[in-house]
Amino acid sequence: MLTLTCPCCGVTAEETEFSPGGEAHLKRFGPGSSDQEYEAYMFNRKNPRGVHFERWRHAYGCGKWFLAARCTMTLEVFGTYAAQTLEPPAEIVAKIKDRHPGWEGYS
Amino acid sequence: MKRYSAFAIAREALRQHKGWSHAWTSPEPRNSYDVVIVGAGGHGLATAYYLGRNFGITNVAVIEKGWLGGGNTGRNTTIIRSNYLQDPSAALYEKARSLFENLSQDLNYNIMFSPRGVMMLAQTEHEKRGYLRTERANALQGVQTRFIQPAEVKKLVPIINLDGPRYPVLGALWQPRGGTARHDAVAWGYARACSDMGMHIIEQCAVTGVESAGGQVTAVNTTKGTITCKKLGIVVAGHSGALADMAGFRLPVESVALQALVSEPIKPCMDVVVMANTVHGYMSQSDKGEMVIGGGADGFNNYTQRGSWHHVEETVRALVETFPMISRLKMLRQWGGIVDMTGDRSPIISKTPLGNCFINCGWGTGGFKATPGSGWAMAELIAKGEPGPLAREFSMTRFREGRFIDESVAAGVAH
Ligand SMILES: Cc1cc2nc3c(=O)[nH]c(=O)nc-3n(C[C@H](O)[C@H](O)[C@H](O)COP(=O)(O)OP(=O)(O)OC[C@H]3O[C@@H](n4cnc5c(N)ncnc54)[C@H](O)[C@@H]3O)c2cc1C
Ligand SMILES: [Zn+2]
């Protein structure tokens, strides 16, 4: 079972209290972009085995969106942070590198 | 290959069964093959089989990181049906279903195809309208299905409770020639036939990299060394994202855990497959007597192959209302598999950005039923370099082009 801590209200709860919202930090492409860029934004996903960044909503709690860094192979959560963050915060990156020295970093 | 037959059993009985040989060989990999297929699940093995049978291409290796059939092929609940909505799906799934009819004879291996009938319950007015539409679509596609009334449902499934307060049974979409098959046997039967054609099935060998030059794959790196190939087929289900990453492209696919469970074995009580999509559960009885129950998938990317208790609870809680007699059954075991989901819930059988590399994935929660048809279509794609009529609509560029094959209703429950 996956356990997450909501950075908005501070509650730690199991996954049934949250709704998953897919890959985080997607770069948005709209009108004027190429077909390839739009396709990549709309459909193509990293889907990594290992470190992943994703959006979650505290659906049965405060209702707020936030972001989480998580390992998709172990369900270990490295940390959660505000939804209004453009890329993973340094302290979370450091924590991931500590646990997975071979990790290539966020790109 | 020694043929299996009643005569062979009698002969072996007379000599203490000492004459049976291994069903397939376990060779060391050669340095090079015409075609390398990554993933010895049902789809990868079926691809290899039809490459040999339909196109005479037998210099083929199927590379498997674990044991043959140990992925989703050996973890699914074995439901076979072809009552989809869109024409391209109906063609592909019905091709597969019809190949299942004779697969045991074709492979000389008993895959235990049991066309016992598959029933999809309509438990809301909305669902009923949806299935009436599917019934009409199937009639036009030549897929035999029929919408049946509650009384007929009860006759076919005596243990069902028709008037549950929350989920009354308003009828069902009934496919009499749908059913189940023995999942391992499908993989084993194909493996035996491939091995017999001289193909190499290399187990315990993970592909760790894809080498390319000038937009063409040249070789794969594996834990047993580098193997060069003229063509590469990627057929790794939940691990498609990882393989695509090695080959340098991204897929419109996300991997999640889907789980199932079985009860303790009991006397025969239900001889059809029942799917209840509104409550997200389905059930059939195995030949061993276990009630085989499947439930929902996780909503988030997951490679743990475990599943989670709350899904088990949700599934069973809902099914107990429709099948009150299961409330006292003990659960025997529970397991998970990693399924590859696309946005339109339809598979991908496609060329890739690398010219001689082809991919078969995106079967998500429902690809076992498609195994022979998927292999048939993939073999044609690899052999000719262009998709045939079965695969044509399933290219990975359909998302960019807005040509979705929307099966979110037909695949509404994970199966
Ligand atoms: C719980 C559950 C219930 C299901 N129920 C049904 C059902 O009732 N009906 C139905 O039609 N479908 C069902 N499905 C879906 C079905 O199981 C799959 O769609 C189908 O089996 C996929 O077959 P495959 O051969 O593509 O994949 P798999 O059998 O998963 O084979 C892929 C293989 O690739 C190998 N591999 C991965 N990475 C590498 C690598 N790097 N190197 C070498 N090898 C690699 C894996 O080890 C694996 O053996 C269910 C799935 C699950 C999990
Ligand atoms: Zn909260």
Side-chain angles (χ1 to χ4, degrees):
Chain A
M1 174 143 302
L2 178 62
T3 310
L4 292 163
T5 301
C6 173
C8 307
C9 68
V11 163
T12 299
E14 57 187 40
E15 65 188 78
T16 50
E17 197 164 304
F18 301 92
S19 302
E23 188 175 321
H25 305 304
L26 286 178
K27 193 166 178 333
R28 285 172 175 70
F29 288 94
S33 60
S34 72
D35 283 357
Q36 265 82 1
E37 285 168 335
Y38 190 64
E39 176 192 27
Y41 155 56
M42 278 295 279
F43 303 109
N44 295 349
R45 293 294 174 262
K46 277 190 182 159
N47 194 22
R49 276 182 82 204
V51 178
H52 195 32
F53 300 91
E54 51 192 9
R55 306 166 72 226
W56 284 86
R57 196 168 89 89
H58 194 182
Y60 293 99
C62 69
K64 295 275 196 294
W65 284 95
F66 61 93
L67 306 182
R70 185 175 65 85
C71 176
T72 61
M73 287 163 73
T74 60
L75 304 192
E76 176 181 0
V77 178
F78 306 111
T80 54
Y81 50 100
Q84 299 74 10
T85 316
L86 291 181
E87 54 185 66
E91 69 271 18
I92 287 187
V93 169
K95 205 166 160 207
I96 298 170
K97 288 219 164 117
D98 190 40
R99 299 280 294 143
H100 293 266
W103 180 56
E104 292 154 3
Y106 178 75
S107 59
Chain B
M1 174 174 88
K2 285 214 182 88
R3 276 188 71 77
Y4 294 153
S5 65
F7 172 72
I9 294 175
R11 185 191 61 216
E12 291 307 323
L14 293 174
R15 52 177 189 189
Q16 274 95 45
H17 292 280
K18 285 182 182 144
W20 300 116
S21 54
H22 285 287
W24 58 87
T25 57
S26 304
E28 283 304 307
R30 284 199 294 269
N31 292 334
S32 156
Y33 295 89
D34 287 346
V35 178
V36 164
I37 295 184
V38 190
H43 290 225
L45 291 164
T47 301
Y49 174 72
Y50 293 112
L51 270 176
R53 207 194 84 161
N54 295 353
F55 299 97
I57 300 171
T58 56
N59 183 11
V60 175
V62 186
I63 301 178
E64 167 57 49
K65 74 171 171 158
W67 67 96
L68 182 164
N72 294 343
T73 298
R75 295 165 185 271
N76 75 84
T77 47
T78 79
I79 298 175
I80 295 169
R81 58 185 182 85
S82 58
N83 53 354
Y84 283 70
L85 181 63
Q86 312 293 349
D87 291 351
S89 331
L92 186 55
Y93 289 102
E94 178 61 11
K95 172 74 181 174
R97 201 206 56 77
S98 65
L99 286 169
F100 265 119
E101 295 260 4
N102 295 317
L103 198 57
S104 294
Q105 288 78 3
D106 195 16
L107 297 175
N108 179 233
Y109 200 97
N110 187 2
I111 58 129
M112 298 165 80
F113 178 53
S114 163
R116 59 183 69 180
V118 173
M119 178 185 292
M120 295 168 92
L121 299 179
Q123 293 182 294
T124 63
E125 283 297 336
H126 181 79
E127 211 175 4
K128 184 174 167 181
R129 275 199 294 276
Y131 288 145
L132 284 168
R133 179 180 174 209
T134 306
E135 181 202 33
R136 311 284 201 282
N138 289 163
L140 293 171
Q141 292 152 347
V143 175
Q144 281 188 34
T145 60
R146 195 156 55 81
F147 189 83
I148 58 175
Q149 298 303 322
E152 197 173 346
V153 171
K154 184 74 183 172
K155 222 170 118 214
L156 287 161
V157 191
I159 65 169
I160 207 166
N161 173 21
L162 289 181
D163 34 44
R166 264 194 310 172
Y167 307 114
V169 174
L170 307 175
L173 184 66
W174 172 235
Q175 181 170 28
R177 291 303 286 179
T180 60
R182 172 83 199 274
H183 50 9
D184 300 316
V186 171
W188 296 338
Y190 276 124
R192 176 167 168 265
C194 288
S195 187
D196 186 51
M197 287 189 276
M199 296 178 182
H200 281 184
I201 298 160
I202 302 157
E203 294 176 80
Q204 307 294 343
C205 175
V207 170
T208 53
V210 175
E211 290 180 16
S212 63
Q216 304 279 322
V217 169
T218 53
V220 289
N221 306 317
T222 77
T223 47
K224 293 190 176 176
T226 296
I227 300 173
T228 62
C229 59
K230 294 189 186 133
K231 289 179 177 177
L232 179 67
I234 299 174
V235 196
V236 294
H239 298 268
S240 299
L243 262 292
D245 191 46
M246 292 177 204
F249 57 91
R250 265 191 203 172
L251 291 169
V253 166
E254 302 216 55
S255 298
V256 302
L258 174 68
Q259 63 182 331
L261 61 135
V262 292
S263 74
E264 59 189 323
I266 55 172
K267 294 277 187 207
C269 66
M270 194 178 84
D271 61 1
V272 300
V273 180
V274 180
M275 312 183 53
N277 293 359
T278 296
V279 301
H280 250 264
Y282 57 92
M283 191 162 82
S284 66
Q285 190 167 22
S286 76
D287 294 340
K288 289 181 282 183
E290 302 152 337
M291 302 310 289
V292 182
I293 296 174
D298 283 344
F300 51 88
N301 298 50
N302 189 344
Y303 286 86
T304 59
Q305 270 190 170
R306 278 204 302 259
S308 47
W309 293 112
H310 72 91
H311 273 307
V312 172
E313 193 183 344
E314 283 157 19
T315 302
V316 173
R317 191 169 57 205
L319 283 180
V320 160
E321 190 183 304
T322 309
F323 303 98
M325 66 156 270
I326 69 167
S327 69
R328 305 267 167 137
L329 289 184
K330 293 193 187 75
M331 186 175 91
L332 199 61
R333 51 206 156 77
Q334 168 272 354
W335 66 91
I338 302 306
V339 296
D340 39 339
M341 309 292 284
T342 59
D344 60 1
R345 299 294 179 261
S346 284
I348 290 169
I349 308 173
S350 179
K351 305 206 270 189
T352 70
L354 294 170
N356 57 347
C357 173
F358 305 91
I359 193 157
N360 178 323
C361 66
W363 294 95
T365 61
F368 174 70
K369 64 176 72 65
T371 305
S374 162
W376 186 287
M378 183 69 174
E380 186 172 12
L381 174 63
I382 294 178
K384 296 182 177 164
E386 290 293 328
L390 283 179
R392 192 161 296 138
E393 302 294 325
F394 293 96
S395 87
M396 62 188 259
T397 56
R398 70 172 182 270
F399 296 92
R400 181 198 309 163
E401 294 156 6
R403 293 184 292 104
F404 308 114
I405 305 170
D406 183 3
E407 291 294 357
S408 47
V409 173
V413 71
H415 41 74

